[in-house]
Amino acid sequence: MKSVTLDHKWRIDTWSNLDQNWDVIVIGGGITGAGVLNMAAQKGLKVVLLEANDFAFGTSSRSSKLVHGGIRYLKNHQFDVVRESVKERERLLKESNGLVDPLRFIFPSFEEYQNESKMMRLGIILYDLLAPKWQHRSLNKTNVIKALPPLTQAHLLGGEEYCDARVDDSRLVLRIIKDGLRFGGYALNYAKVIGLCKSRIGQVEGVIVQDQSGKLDPKVKELKGKVIINATGPWSDQVRQGVNGGPKLRPLRGSHLLFLHEKLPIRAAVTMLHPRDGRALFAIPWENQTLIGTTDLDHEMKEDETRITQFEVDYLLEAAQHSFNTNPVTQEDIISTFSGLRPVINTNATTPSKESRAHQIWEENGLISVAGGKLTIFRVMAADTLNFCQALLPGNPKFDHRSPCFISPQTEKREALLDPQWIMMAGKLGKDVNEFFNESDADQLSSIESIPSLWAELNWAAKHEAVLHLDDLLLRRVRLGILLKNGGIAHLEKVKHLTSNALKWSNDQWKAEISRYKSIWQENYAIPK
Ligand code: FAD
């Protein structure tokens, strides 16, 4: 099995290896593309994934961090999506301990919302029947308050408890990509597909890729492939312009607010109804902080970045203040925000929330596109996409979404299996976990402020994980940028000290990277000015 260190040498080697005939070329390095790469590589296919920005730059680092059935989709009768999702949740919980972990949810019931509570109770029963796993129960008022101390208590009757799971979305993408590389695949970030190569009769038979790192030569290459898969999520329609495909997507923006845990100290996730329109929102304990989301709004794509609007800040804050009124949070308590785009297929539903979350796969002049779906069902999406192209692939392989895609970490030290730090790092790094602990200085194996991430993760990521910019490191590898106040800038000197050997940036480069990071953070992860 190939060992994978994604450093500068890897970037140069991968670029020089691109000139060959591929079985599968995947455009897009979010969770959908990552899943396709991983499954194709497992079957011994020659597969390469090309990502225009950083791995997981798009929606796959900006989700609500849930591996879930999507209980709110039951309201719109999306039973197939929910059934598929809860089954995948169960499988991911079994296979990726430390990365996908169980999360207790509570739906509090209030006197004035008794009908909603009844509906929710039915939904929760159906949820468990679809899994199938009986894991819900009713809680009395005391137990609800114990789990959710800041909850509004007037007219509170009790609550329903059910189970889902949480994940670090960008770490999931990286783990699936790295295991895909170990299975023999290739992938490169900062490699943008700028055009499609076509045969004389107009069939897509390759892509034109341009280096965005500024470090590779030649800057542009043409690659040929038997199958070209467009897995660019919200950008799918842009890539489809190359085959004159008309618009098919309805990009829907969803935004989140992050608070310090001590400001919203919840021990379980909460499903809450917005006082204005009754939409279901979540408050989620994530990485020792509290996440509130999400909105669901039509979005016009003008640029790659997405950011929250003041309207959304007010909307989410109103829900938080309504649901947690014992010591209400204010705008000043928000430590960061982030926004992503759901790559939903447009069916012209009356409201964004009524659009189906199901995925679709289709072909246009040889270009295969896959869009819609969810992070939770990435393996179903990947297997469906590859089965769609089966006839074009050598040996006509059949793909099963139930086959494992994680390479399990091994340890000879049995005590490690009980050590929470080892379990967390094994979830993030998989097979690399033992090397991580061997390489890391003992004094760097401590938590960064109050979040679970370790200082040593910074050096590891800088050295092994395809980091090109400071924002790759702080927003997607070790997530200081969204989990700490002011994007963690108070720690930049220490970050520099820990990573400068691996990154080999000059002082001028550090200055440029810090200034780039601060401006990306201010524009896209702070409260709008
Ligand atoms: P993306 O992650 O957007 O990846 C597409 C990639 O393609 C991008 O990285 C982009 O840079 C790249 N790209 C674009 N153009 C090119 C090009 N020309 N060349 C090369 N690369 C290119 N799902 C869940 O299961 N659980 C949740 O809790 C959840 N919460 C969500 C919350 C929000 C607010 C949103 C918006 C979605 C949520 N989802 C959730 C859905 C889930 O996040 C998405 O379905 C999933 O991340 C989409 O992944 P993707 O790979 O298709 O797209």
Side-chain angles (χ1 to χ4, degrees), residues 106-110 112-113 144-145 148-154 156 263-264 266 269-276 279-283 292-293 315-329:
I106 294 175
F107 181 76
S109 62
F110 294 93
E112 61 271 42
Y113 293 120
V144 171
I145 296 168
L148 310 171
L151 192 71
T152 301
Q153 292 176 20
L156 177 68
K263 284 285 167 189
L264 271 180
I266 52 174
V270 189
T271 306
M272 49 198 190
L273 301 179
H274 199 287
R276 226 188 279 175
R279 272 191 67 241
L281 299 175
F282 301 127
I292 303 264
Y315 177 86
L316 293 173
L317 208 49
E318 187 184 338
Q321 287 164 342
H322 178 78
S323 295
F324 302 107
N325 79 354
T326 47
N327 190 8
V329 284

Side-chain angles (χ1 to χ4, degrees), residues 192-197 206-210 220-223:
K192 181 173 186 173
V193 169
I194 54 166
L196 301 173
C197 308
V207 300
I208 305 166
V209 59
Q210 186 181 54
V220 174
K221 287 195 168 199
E222 276 190 28
L223 327 183

